[in-house]
Amino acid sequence: MGLDKYNYSIDIAKGGLIFLVILGHIIQGHLNDNLIRFFIYSFHMPMFLFISGYLININKLQNCDFTKIAKYYITRMLGYWGIAWCVYTYIIIDHFTLINILKQLINPYYHLWYIPTLFCMIISSYIILQISSNKRSFWYILFTISGLCLILGCIIHFPKLTNLEMFFYFSLGIFYRDQKTNKIKISRKTWGIYSLAIGIIYWFVNSFSCINIHTLLVFPFVIYLITKWLYPILLTDAFPRCSLLEFWGRNSLSIYLWHVLPIIILKYFFNGISYYMISLLSICFFIYLSIWIIKISTRQSII
């Protein structure tokens, strides 16, 4: 199918993933202490990066000059990120010194790593594209570098500003966007196989205290999930229409940047059972507010 006409499944996928991001941030505890959080974190950001790569047209990217690309993404992403960075930095910094501000810039607060990292991946892909003699060499260089980043991510900690550990998923999205096929079938067993695999990996990393390599252990199964389920759905626009998820998907940048703010407030005033009860009520209010906005703006059915 490609992207010649509007693909609603992309919005729906992003909407579902942004809801999982919110749930993952509401649930407390380390990844190795909570199976639900471990499960969500195993695929939600890799899928987000895959979709971001899938939206990149390398033929158009190759013919653009660097200034035009930088201006486009600074206007559409980094500008909004900069405002959010200022707000969150103001909240969490006790003493405003140059050193503390630089530290927050290199390792921005919590979820703010994603936008500058995505920008870094786009620029890296553009540079590789410019130095490659042909498309085949571009793929070789791109997947070699992104594969090395995946391995290095288990050895060293990338600065959050340029966290390239999941560069491979973005690269895979670019690759699949460039392929000309519509013969891939959606596997109905994918989620069952994936869930079983993640459950085993969760047990393994906790039993042998090797949480630092969980990214590598999860990697082949995330690729399997993307290849056998997500990519065929995006390719054929197979998701049934859902205005609520489409709305969240179209506004995923704003939701991603600001959803942590109410969570910070809730954690400040509540804890334990009361925290989760108020969080549940907040989610219900968020859903209701989204439905109300959709009705006001489009006057259409939500489902």
Side-chain angles (χ1 to χ4, degrees), residues 137-171:
S137 65
F138 167 71
W139 296 128
Y140 280 139
I141 298 172
L142 182 67
F143 281 114
T144 298
I145 292 176
S146 59
L148 288 173
C149 288
L150 179 73
I151 296 171
L152 282 173
C154 297
I155 303 171
I156 64 173
H157 292 289
F158 285 100
K160 288 185 178 180
L161 195 67
T162 56
N163 185 8
L164 296 177
E165 182 178 350
M166 289 190 279
F167 190 17
F168 193 95
Y169 301 111
F170 178 81
S171 303

Side-chain angles (χ1 to χ4, degrees), residues 20-302:
L20 289 176
V21 168
I22 295 172
L23 288 182
H25 288 164
I26 287 175
I27 298 171
Q28 296 181 323
H30 297 290
L31 289 182
N32 56 328
D33 294 331
N34 191 300
L35 177 57
I36 296 175
R37 200 161 189 253
F38 186 90
F39 181 78
I40 292 173
Y41 270 65
S42 69
F43 69 87
H44 72 334
M45 297 316 294
M47 280 191 176
F48 249 126
L49 286 168
F50 174 82
I51 293 172
S52 296
Y54 190 72
L55 292 171
I56 299 292
N57 186 323
I58 60 171
N59 296 318
K60 290 183 179 179
L61 188 67
Q62 187 174 30
N63 296 323
C64 288
D65 62 83
F66 180 82
T67 304
K68 184 177 180 180
I69 293 172
K71 183 179 179 181
Y72 177 80
Y73 285 106
I74 288 172
T75 303
R76 295 201 48 173
M77 293 193 320
L78 289 180
Y80 298 107
W81 175 86
I83 296 171
W85 179 86
C86 290
V87 172
Y88 285 106
T89 300
Y90 177 79
I91 292 172
I92 64 172
I93 286 187
D94 293 327
H95 303 288
F96 281 88
T97 64
L98 181 60
I99 296 298
N100 286 341
I101 292 173
L102 288 176
K103 284 181 179 179
Q104 286 301 315
L105 188 60
I106 296 171
N107 290 294
Y109 175 71
Y110 198 33
H111 65 303
L112 295 179
W113 66 271
Y114 180 78
I115 302 303
T117 292
L118 177 58
F119 179 73
C120 183
M121 290 179 182
I122 294 169
I123 296 302
S124 298
S125 302
Y126 172 78
I127 293 172
I128 294 170
L129 194 58
Q130 296 304 313
I131 65 175
S132 301
S133 57
N134 53 55
K135 190 173 285 187
R136 176 172 291 185
S137 65
F138 167 71
W139 296 128
Y140 280 139
I141 298 172
L142 182 67
F143 281 114
T144 298
I145 292 176
S146 59
L148 288 173
C149 288
L150 179 73
I151 296 171
L152 282 173
C154 297
I155 303 171
I156 64 173
H157 292 289
F158 285 100
K160 288 185 178 180
L161 195 67
T162 56
N163 185 8
L164 296 177
E165 182 178 350
M166 289 190 279
F167 190 17
F168 193 95
Y169 301 111
F170 178 81
S171 303
L172 189 65
I174 299 177
F175 176 77
Y176 274 138
R177 164 68 183 271
D178 193 57
Q179 304 309 298
K180 308 298 181 183
T181 180
N182 57 0
K183 298 180 180 180
I184 298 178
K185 294 182 179 180
I186 302 170
S187 175
R188 304 298 178 184
K189 300 178 180 179
T190 309
W191 277 105
I193 295 172
Y194 181 79
S195 300
L196 178 62
I198 297 304
I200 294 172
I201 292 172
Y202 177 78
W203 167 83
F204 179 82
V205 298
N206 280 282
S207 299
F208 298 95
S209 300
C210 52
I211 190 68
N212 58 311
I213 64 166
H214 84 279
T215 302
L216 280 181
L217 296 176
V218 166
F219 172 74
F221 298 102
V222 178
I223 296 298
Y224 168 74
L225 187 63
I226 289 173
T227 303
K228 293 295 185 179
W229 183 77
L230 180 60
Y231 171 55
I233 285 176
L234 299 184
L235 184 69
T236 57
D237 196 6
F239 273 134
R241 295 289 302 276
C242 176
S243 296
L244 180 60
L245 292 179
E246 290 169 23
F247 174 76
W248 289 345
R250 288 192 300 270
N251 295 279
S252 58
L253 175 60
S254 299
I255 296 172
Y256 183 82
L257 289 175
W258 297 109
H259 78 277
V260 173
L261 195 56
I263 295 176
I264 293 174
I265 297 171
L266 288 177
K267 287 182 177 179
Y268 182 82
F269 288 104
F270 303 98
N271 56 65
I273 298 298
S274 60
Y275 163 76
Y276 282 110
M277 290 181 64
I278 299 299
S279 296
L280 179 60
L281 290 174
S282 299
I283 291 174
C284 292
F285 175 74
F286 171 63
I287 294 172
Y288 173 80
L289 181 63
S290 300
I291 292 173
W292 180 79
I293 293 173
I294 295 170
K295 283 185 175 180
I296 293 298
S297 59
T298 63
R299 304 290 182 183
Q300 66 181 36
S301 175
I302 300 306

